[in-house]
Amino acid sequence: MTDLITPITMPKFGLAMTEGKIAGWNIPSGTHVDAGQEIADIETTKITNGYESPASGTLRRQIATEGETLPVGALLGVLAEPAVSDADIDAFIARFQADFSSGGAATTQTDQAEPTLVSLGELTLRVQDAGQGTGTPIVFIHGFGGDLSNWMLNQNTLSTGRRTVAFDLPGHGGSSKNVGDGKPATFAATAAALLDKLDISRAHVVAHSLGGAIALELAKTFPQKVASLSLIAPAGLGQGINMDFIEGFISADRRKTLEPVLDYLVHDKTLISRKMIEDIIRFKRLDGAVKGLQTIAQSCFPNGRQADDLRPVLASFAGPAQVIWGADDEILSPDDAKGLPETIKVLILPAAGHMPQLEKAADVNAALTKFID
Amino acid sequence: MQIAHDILLRSYRSMRTIRDFEERLHVEFATGDIPGFVHLYCGEEASGVGVCAHLTDTDTIASTHRGHGHCIAKGVGVDGMMAEIYGRKTGVCHGKGGSMHIADLSLGMLGANGIVGGGPPLICGAALSHKVLKDGGVAVAFYGDGASNEGTTLESLNLAMVWKLPAVFVCEDNGYGEATGAAYACAGTQKARAAGFGMPYLECDGTDFFAVYEAAGQAIAHARAGNGPVMLHVHLARWYGHFEGDAMTYRANGEVAEQRARHDCLKNFRQSVTETSLLEPTALDDIDASVKDEIEAAVKAAKNAPLPEPADLEADVYVSY
Amino acid sequence: MSKKSFRQAINEALRQEMLRDPRVVLIGEDIAGGQGGTSGVVDAWGGVLGVTKGLYTEFGPDRVFDTPISEASYIGAAVGAAATGLRPVAELMFVDFVGCCLDQIMNQAAKFRYMFGGKARTPLVIRAMYGAGFNAAAQHSQALYPLFTHIPGLKVVIPSSPYEAKGLLIEAIRDDDPVIFLENKVMYDDEEEVPDEPYAIPFGEANLTREGDDVTIVAFGRMVNFANEAADRLEKDGISCTVVDPRTTSPLDSATILECVEDTGRLVIVDESSPRCNMATDVAALVAEDAFDALKAPIRRVGPPHTPVPFATVLEKLYLPDAARIESAVRSVMAYKKTKQEA
Ligand SMILES: Cc1ncc(C[n+]2csc(CCOP(=O)(O)OP(=O)(O)O)c2C)c(N)n1
Ligand SMILES: [Mg+2]
């Protein structure tokens, strides 16, 4: 009977996630759900995300209560067809809980790789290396002020059957603070060197915002390394840029001043969590961090406009390319995706801001999986 | 020098009590039962005892953080001390002071002191009381080589001279203040410091009871006679770490072993009094046995003694309020 | 980034600032230890509780100065050196010993800038341990930050965690005014993630460690941890608290405290220092004056009784505020109903 029962467990959204809180159930007990339907909102210290049902069936039990914080892998609820008896479900739950408390928690610990530090000459880069398999690897490049955790809802999902690498650009996250001249071409050279160091000769490049411009520079200078381009709200395709965001991000040094700046990033403002703000403030306090951001801003956005026009690079890129944009992006306009060659797929996601990979993770993951496979 | 029989017996008993008390604390501390900081006086017994042998309850002493020996030498009972160190209601300070603050003013014991250099100024005050009240008392400040560098100590030497106080400044020089050697921290000499204030200076080997007894006798007689203060510089060695838990890596290997073998005040006392037939070995053995029982009983009693009660927390902040 | 103890975080801040600026020197009793000893081992202690361990070995005798037990002179020397080109970090060991050198801090360091018509700079940090909970009794357990806060010209920092300690100490060393940096001795083994890189946390900017709607808890130093614990327990019962860690008592982030009280309407202040004229009275006065209308209940202070710190463990436990006492204070302000008819 148990194969008719599907446990719903605390998902692991990011590599660093160890526990989550049930922000709320979207489905009452006893209702039928379809696979892929959002059944609960799970809040981590970084973000709140909808949890999609792994299977179809009736939600027979809600075991976790709203507001409860549980480790990854803990039982949240049980799905089963109405035919399954309550007694069978109780027995299933009892067995699951016994297994989980005896060893389950430990196993969730082991697959949780910590980012490592990789030296490239003078630079040290913080790298999250995940997945393995024969598929062409994926490299993720974040944008201005971001870090590898920007991919926390994506990297895991895309790591089936292939290696994936996310890293902190120089001047960001846990990487060295030396940004050189702060130009996309310079960062592209660093990315290329990192791929060499990691023995990755060719990778699908998934890049966000300023990372998009870096990806385009990479494709321009090292075309043989780039298997495909997936550009999410990329820089380099237009001139406009929300300088209130860039300047505010650089100058805000406390939660109160930073929060409204970060609000520009998302459509759903409630996504900006305390922890996210705190993490950015902590990053900006590091010696040299603000200076690095200033250098990048001056190089990339002098006089409040984007410095580099990389449309020709994208137009002439030989491999497959796609552009994904949130319709409500308040930092770089989705209009920049207009007028691209027809071979380039453009996906505009409604009700999403500048970070669709977080805000619409499921849609973005689906688009990436389909495009890359 | 002739020393009365009863003084010899009493002094030996005091030194033995201090030794056993401290060694027992060393063991008990390691079990984790004793809270807070504990500084042991092992190896230095003859100093406190040799000085206090000349004092009565009318006289006053001020002690230091390493105060157990001075307390015992001045007559504070080990039951009350042990209970205090265990934080019990039956402690001399009702469990509110602990090892570093044992005091009994009725015995002229102005307190151990958590503040280095806290004692010498207080002793100027005590000496002033003795002088103004004309009770014939003398005030004695014990302070370490480390404390000799505190401004309070140096100012007190000066003040005592200016006021010609019946005070004795006993500098217990064990060569270290915490982990720093006096060789580094003390410029010049104690002798020259005394001379700088025009103060009479005596020095002695602090591991030899008879030497201390004699020098202290002179110093205290001088002060008691109204001739003003004296500095008594006592050369010592401490046998344990600065406080319990100190690994003493700053001391040469064998330094303490050498002290224990050659400069044990108890061993040397026994040898000296038995060789000269001043005391019978059995008399000393009896003291050893009785002290052993006394310490055992004190520890047992302390462990079983009641803890302070909640109401004690706010009692005795003021005389009246 | 790695897990570091409060002790390691402070050591790392000192080390990184010494590397960055050759004018930064350390002065204190046994901050190396072993000088003048017979084994020749120096850096034998690295401070009584091992906080400065290794710095003498790394930086040598021209940067790390062990002192005689002479607080008035070496703290005074640090003040004088600060006024004349060095950036000393002096360690007073236990803050209780300030009794031996208060003049140099209160009448000298604190006053130079003002008395000299704005012409002096005294970039000095005095580190010291404070706090009860160590059975260290009345002369080694005080929480004297209100004393320093009271003195114009001094800045006063009380870090509440390893992350905070590192960033605030770096800021203190870079600051051009005399700063008193107080470390709770019970917290040295507390651990959390602390970046490996240097970073500075600005003074006068409170940190909200919890955000809630019902009650604002302002807590200082180690008490922030107890306040968080209480807030987490209360949240399970539906009472949501904001916990404010002011980080520095001078300057004090009054704006944030007032805003939080405006939002919640209730205030509990947790201060482990003696209750008369302490930070709790200071914050209570601030709120009574500037956020009176927002208050839905009387302000409550959680603190020790007005006594010296007792030695015995049972008494010391009673003495110190803890999460349970904070929790019951919060519940009492939540339960408060105005009894008098509004006029
Ligand atoms: C004013 C003050 N400064 C520092 C200390 C810390 N401390 C306690 S004991 C001690 C060493 C004292 O050395 P010394 O006076 O030689 O006495 P000893 O420990 O050798 O008996 C120090 C520095 C203190 N308690 N008070
Ligand atoms: Mg000494």
Side-chain angles (χ1 to χ4, degrees):
Chain A
M1 216 64 203
T2 55
D3 48 350
L4 300 176
I5 304 176
T6 309
I8 298 178
T9 57
M10 179 60 75
K12 188 170 164 74
F13 289 147
L15 287 160
M17 176 170 167
T18 56
E19 59 175 30
K21 179 165 137 186
I22 311 293
W25 284 98
N26 299 341
I27 308 278
S29 227
T31 0
H32 175 81
V33 295
D34 293 322
Q37 191 177 343
E38 285 198 359
I39 53 177
D41 284 331
I42 309 283
E43 193 178 314
T44 71
T45 47
K46 292 202 169 160
I47 197 168
T48 303
N49 201 39
Y51 176 37
E52 295 161 8
S53 180
S56 300
T58 301
L59 181 63
R60 296 285 296 268
R61 294 286 161 80
Q62 292 180 352
I63 290 164
T65 54
E66 291 192 359
E68 196 174 355
T69 299
L70 291 166
V72 168
L75 194 61
L76 305 182
V78 173
L79 278 184
E81 287 315 316
V84 179
S85 75
D86 278 344
D88 281 346
I89 288 183
D90 287 341
F92 176 87
I93 294 171
R95 214 170 324 118
F96 186 100
Q97 300 292 39
D99 288 352
F100 185 72
S101 59
S102 63
T107 50
T108 59
Q109 293 291 330
T110 51
D111 61 1
Q112 178 188 291
E114 287 285 317
T116 51
L117 295 179
V118 173
S119 325
L120 287 181
E122 302 254 283
L123 289 177
T124 303
L125 298 185
R126 190 175 65 140
V127 176
Q128 181 84 64
D129 203 335
Q132 54 192 10
T134 51
T136 306
I138 297 175
V139 61
F140 294 92
I141 307 178
H142 68 77
F144 175 84
D147 64 25
L148 55 79
S149 76
N150 291 169
W151 308 107
M152 65 188 213
L153 299 185
N154 319 105
Q155 187 176 4
N156 245 359
T157 312
L158 290 159
S159 293
T160 327
R162 71 177 81 246
R163 186 177 179 193
T164 64
V165 169
F167 68 103
D168 294 336
L169 288 167
H172 292 78
S175 293
S176 326
K177 298 292 163 285
N178 176 10
V179 301
D181 64 7
K183 294 205 159 105
T186 307
F187 290 127
T190 302
L194 176 65
L195 290 176
D196 288 346
K197 176 100 187 188
L198 298 177
D199 280 329
I200 296 174
S201 54
R202 195 172 150 79
H204 297 289
V205 179
V206 177
H208 173 236
S209 195
L210 184 64
I214 297 167
L216 288 167
E217 292 286 0
L218 187 70
K220 179 166 100 185
T221 317
F222 308 93
Q224 74 288 355
K225 288 193 190 296
V226 180
S228 74
L229 283 172
S230 292
L231 306 178
I232 302 171
L237 303 186
Q239 290 205 328
I241 167 92
N242 179 346
M243 285 309 283
D244 288 347
F245 171 78
I246 299 292
E247 282 158 8
F249 191 92
I250 292 172
S251 65
D253 57 359
R254 39 194 320 180
R255 194 174 301 146
K256 263 204 317 268
T257 44
L258 186 60
E259 184 161 7
V261 175
L262 297 185
D263 279 350
Y264 286 126
L265 284 172
V266 284
H267 166 80
D268 175 3
K269 310 299 183 202
T270 63
L271 284 176
I272 303 299
S273 69
R274 284 179 50 78
K275 173 80 165 104
M276 191 169 175
I277 300 170
E278 182 64 22
D279 283 352
I280 293 173
I281 290 177
R282 286 187 176 206
F283 156 69
K284 289 187 52 199
R285 279 186 193 131
L286 298 176
D287 277 8
V290 168
K291 196 165 149 266
L293 293 174
Q294 279 165 342
T295 305
I296 297 170
Q298 269 152 26
S299 296
C300 299
F301 319 118
N303 315 314
R305 316 292 295 164
Q306 294 192 46
D308 300 311
D309 178 10
L310 297 166
R311 286 181 86 90
V313 179
L314 181 56
S316 62
F317 177 63
Q322 67 168 341
V323 175
I324 301 171
W325 225 303
D328 303 326
D329 194 324
E330 295 171 54
I331 292 172
L332 293 171
S333 168
D335 290 349
D336 290 355
K338 287 182 181 155
L340 293 170
E342 297 214 326
T343 49
I344 295 168
K345 271 188 58 176
V346 175
L347 173 64
I348 306 286
L349 294 168
H354 186 60
M355 301 197 82
Q357 77 270 39
L358 284 179
E359 220 172 343
K360 294 283 166 218
D363 295 330
V364 170
N365 289 344
L368 291 173
T369 311
K370 212 166 128 213
F371 181 74
I372 286 170
D373 281 349
Chain B
M1 186 172 55
Q2 277 299 109
I3 307 180
H5 207 74
D6 63 321
I7 293 184
L8 284 177
L9 284 172
R10 213 173 57 217
S11 297
Y12 180 77
R13 185 178 183 95
S14 251
M15 293 197 293
R16 171 59 68 196
T17 307
I18 295 169
R19 174 71 53 83
D20 284 15
F21 189 92
E22 299 292 61
E23 294 203 318
R24 183 60 182 267
L25 277 183
H26 178 71
V27 171
E28 295 294 333
F29 189 89
T31 68
D33 280 354
I34 295 178
F37 292 111
V38 173
H39 307 80
L40 301 180
Y41 194 63
C42 277
E44 310 188 22
E45 297 87 347
S47 171
V49 173
V51 170
C52 290
H54 299 282
L55 303 178
T56 70
D57 291 355
T58 308
D59 300 316
T60 314
I61 67 166
S63 174
T64 69
H65 54 285
R66 199 175 303 290
H68 305 161
H70 303 137
C71 290
I72 291 171
K74 195 74 173 56
V76 182
V78 291
D79 286 342
M81 286 177 61
M82 194 63 85
E84 186 60 34
I85 290 166
Y86 272 88
R88 303 292 158 151
K89 190 170 169 83
T90 51
V92 263
C93 306
H94 305 312
K96 290 160 97 166
S99 163
M100 259 193 299
H101 305 296
I102 296 176
D104 189 341
L105 281 105
S106 68
L107 299 171
M109 166 60 202
L110 202 42
N113 209 315
I115 302 298
V116 170
L122 299 174
I123 274 320
C124 288
L128 186 65
S129 287
H130 292 308
K131 184 172 171 150
V132 172
L133 298 174
K134 299 193 172 58
D135 60 10
V138 172
V140 177
F142 290 99
Y143 63 104
D145 50 291
S148 77
N149 299 321
E150 284 284 11
T152 50
T153 303
L154 294 160
E155 291 180 24
S156 298
L157 297 178
N158 185 55
L159 182 66
M161 282 304 290
V162 168
W163 282 352
K164 211 174 179 199
L165 293 172
V168 176
F169 294 90
V170 181
C171 178
E172 294 192 312
D173 185 349
N174 58 14
Y176 291 92
E178 291 186 348
T180 296
Y184 169 85
C186 297
T189 61
Q190 301 298 340
K191 184 176 184 180
R193 291 183 187 192
F197 295 107
M199 186 182 288
Y201 168 90
L202 294 167
E203 63 186 319
C204 61
D205 173 1
T207 65
D208 175 352
F209 168 79
F210 300 99
V212 178
Y213 184 84
E214 182 170 343
Q218 287 180 37
I220 290 166
H222 179 95
R224 210 185 287 284
N227 299 320
V230 178
M231 179 189 291
L232 174 59
H233 184 186
V234 184
H235 298 279
L236 289 164
R238 77 167 140 77
W239 287 5
Y240 288 108
H242 168 68
F243 42 37
E244 286 308 272
D246 170 14
M248 287 204 284
T249 54
Y250 47 88
R251 293 179 75 174
N253 274 339
E255 185 176 306
V256 172
E258 152 84 11
Q259 286 293 333
R260 284 181 185 266
R262 310 256 318 274
H263 302 280
D264 180 338
C265 60
L266 282 158
K267 266 194 227 158
N268 295 348
F269 181 98
R270 178 184 278 262
Q271 197 180 356
S272 162
V273 293
T274 52
E275 268 173 10
T276 53
S277 303
L278 279 170
L279 296 174
E280 288 298 315
T282 49
L284 301 178
D285 294 343
D286 289 348
I287 291 175
D288 290 352
S290 122
V291 166
K292 198 167 169 238
D293 293 346
E294 199 187 354
I295 300 296
E296 182 61 40
V299 171
K300 212 181 216 158
K303 286 184 174 172
N304 292 321
L307 296 170
E309 289 150 48
D312 295 333
L313 178 58
E314 296 193 52
D316 293 329
V317 180
Y318 302 92
V319 174
S320 66
Y321 196 55
Chain C
M1 190 89 117
S2 59
K3 271 221 156 80
K4 287 172 193 133
S5 67
F6 196 69
R7 176 188 285 108
Q8 287 168 324
I10 292 167
N11 184 285
E12 188 166 275
L14 292 170
R15 179 173 177 273
Q16 290 177 343
E17 286 307 286
M18 290 178 81
L19 285 171
R20 192 185 60 84
D21 185 345
R23 296 169 303 171
V24 176
V25 297
L26 307 187
I27 298 176
E29 291 166 16
D30 285 304
I31 55 173
Q35 306 268 20
T38 44
S39 71
V41 172
V42 190
D43 214 346
W45 272 19
V48 241
L49 297 186
V51 176
T52 46
K53 184 88 182 157
L55 297 175
Y56 181 88
T57 304
E58 180 169 355
F59 294 97
D62 291 338
R63 303 289 298 282
V64 179
F65 300 91
D66 264 342
T67 71
I69 310 173
S70 312
E71 290 80 8
S73 70
Y74 82 78
I75 292 290
V79 175
T84 53
L86 290 177
R87 303 184 78 86
V89 181
E91 184 194 298
L92 185 50
M93 207 182 296
F94 294 85
V95 72
D96 313 66
F97 305 162
V98 72
C100 302
C101 55
L102 188 57
D103 175 70
Q104 294 294 324
I105 299 171
M106 175 173 79
N107 288 323
Q108 312 301 334
K111 307 284 196 284
F112 283 174
R113 178 97 185 147
Y114 190 81
M115 288 190 307
F116 300 164
K119 287 179 189 148
R121 259 168 223 275
T122 312
L124 163 72
V125 181
I126 298 175
R127 293 178 42 237
M129 293 183 265
Y130 81 95
F134 216 66
N135 293 102
Q139 294 175 342
H140 288 70
S141 301
Q142 298 170 84
L144 295 176
Y145 42 84
L147 179 76
F148 299 108
T149 309
H150 183 71
I151 300 171
L154 298 180
K155 293 177 178 168
V156 186
V157 188
I158 324 173
S160 61
S161 77
Y163 173 83
E164 296 284 317
K166 180 173 171 185
L168 288 167
L169 182 53
I170 289 180
E171 177 79 6
I173 295 171
R174 295 178 187 178
D175 196 283
D176 278 341
D177 288 310
V179 178
I180 312 293
F181 188 88
L182 296 174
E183 301 160 16
N184 192 305
K185 57 178 93 63
V186 184
M187 287 171 54
Y188 280 126
D189 291 319
D190 290 5
E191 282 193 349
E192 72 177 339
E193 292 287 331
V194 176
D196 300 329
E197 305 97 315
Y199 58 92
I201 300 176
F203 290 169
E205 191 178 293
N207 185 32
L208 306 188
T209 60
R210 297 289 184 278
E211 278 175 72
D213 305 319
D214 299 321
V215 181
T216 297
I217 308 175
V218 176
F220 296 87
R222 181 176 176 225
M223 295 298 123
V224 173
N225 301 318
F226 293 161
N228 288 338
E229 207 180 309
D232 291 346
R233 269 193 241 159
L234 287 157
E235 174 152 20
K236 298 211 168 83
D237 290 350
I239 300 174
S240 84
C241 299
T242 292
V243 177
V244 184
D245 170 5
R247 287 182 172 139
T248 53
T249 60
S250 181
L252 181 71
D253 186 355
S254 335
T256 296
I257 293 172
L258 290 170
E259 267 166 40
C260 294
V261 174
E262 301 273 355
D263 286 349
T264 58
R266 299 179 188 89
L267 175 62
V268 169
I269 313 163
V270 194
D271 182 350
E272 85 162 274
S273 68
S274 295
R276 301 297 312 280
C277 297
N278 68 354
M279 287 316 301
T281 59
D282 193 55
V283 170
L286 166 81
V287 169
E289 197 162 277
D290 292 343
F292 184 74
D293 286 339
L295 288 174
K296 298 175 193 156
I299 298 165
R300 281 235 169 280
R301 294 176 291 148
V302 180
H306 192 53
T307 75
V309 180
F311 166 68
T313 309
V314 273
L315 295 182
E316 201 181 27
K317 280 219 173 87
L318 273 180
Y319 176 89
L320 260 185
D322 58 18
R325 283 176 56 194
I326 299 169
E327 197 182 323
S328 74
V330 168
R331 288 188 195 280
S332 85
V333 298
M334 284 301 288
Y336 178 82
K337 295 260 175 339
K338 281 208 169 127
T339 44
K340 275 198 204 130
Q341 209 59 38
E342 301 261 339

